[in-house]
Amino acid sequence: GALGSLRRDANAPVRSVAVVGDRLYAGGDFSSVGGTARARLAALTLPSGAPDAGFRPAFNGSVYAVTATPDGSVVLVGGGFTTVNGSSTRRYLASFTRAGAVRAPVFALGPNNPVLSLDTNDDGSRVFAGVGGDKTGNQAAAFDAATGAKRWYQRAEGDVQAVAHHAG
């Protein structure tokens, strides 16, 4: 429980972190971490905390959620963004290789549905999202990790700010 020595200051709020293997992924509103330019998502190597030089996705809006598949090979990012690396094909939910390359699929989200929280099932075949936004949002939803198709959803009376998968 002792406080560690890792410290990397971000120049704006960090909204989500995930430890995956030897990396700490941090998402938020920042444009730099530890003095290194990063557009709302950074991968820091552990235990040093040095930014991973090759992991440089860029988002035009906030990153609210970061998680990974159980094997750590895919990083999933949700938020209020509408472009990733300048492309508008991935809105609100995107996946990346461990090296930072955007990967398929394109997830089936509505036009104003920011993703506020994320989780995966035990084998990484499903992605669960807490979604906010307009009347087409406000839901907990499950997506096929390979195709991006929405498998099911449950509407809520407001933003779904947390989801977790547990034992099926």
Side-chain angles (χ1 to χ4, degrees), residues 87-105:
S87 171
S88 62
T89 59
R90 300 217 170 26
R91 300 169 59 87
Y92 309 119
L93 179 56
S95 63
F96 300 87
T97 65
R98 182 176 160 85
V102 178
R103 62 181 296 282

Side-chain angles (χ1 to χ4, degrees), residues 122 165-168:
D122 295 337
H165 174 267
H166 177 71

Side-chain angles (χ1 to χ4, degrees), residues 93 108-109 113-119 127-143 149-165:
L93 179 56
L109 282 154
N113 298 158
V115 172
L116 306 175
S117 59
L118 289 169
D119 200 4
V127 177
F128 302 98
V131 182
D134 65 10
K135 62 183 177 181
T136 65
N138 299 333
Q139 60 187 273
F143 298 90
K150 190 180 287 185
R151 293 298 182 198
W152 58 259
Y153 65 95
Q154 178 61 53
R155 293 255 188 245
E157 291 295 320
D159 295 347
V160 177
Q161 297 184 22
V163 293
H165 174 267

Side-chain angles (χ1 to χ4, degrees), residues 23-135:
R23 292 189 181 165
L24 172 91
Y25 295 94
D29 299 331
F30 52 83
S31 61
S32 73
V33 175
T36 302
R38 291 293 183 268
R40 299 178 181 92
L41 181 67
L44 307 175
T45 57
L46 296 175
S48 71
D52 179 327
F55 192 88
R56 299 182 60 98
F59 299 85
N60 74 330
S62 297
V63 169
Y64 299 132
V66 180
T67 194
T69 55
D71 67 2
S73 65
V74 176
V75 178
L76 296 150
V77 179
F81 53 86
T82 57
T83 67
V84 178
N85 296 344
S87 171
S88 62
T89 59
R90 300 217 170 26
R91 300 169 59 87
Y92 309 119
L93 179 56
S95 63
F96 300 87
T97 65
R98 182 176 160 85
V102 178
R103 62 181 296 282
V106 173
F107 292 93
L109 282 154
N112 186 26
N113 298 158
V115 172
L116 306 175
S117 59
L118 289 169
D119 200 4
T120 66
N121 64 343
D122 295 337
D123 67 5
S125 64
R126 293 284 184 265
V127 177
F128 302 98
V131 182
D134 65 10
K135 62 183 177 181

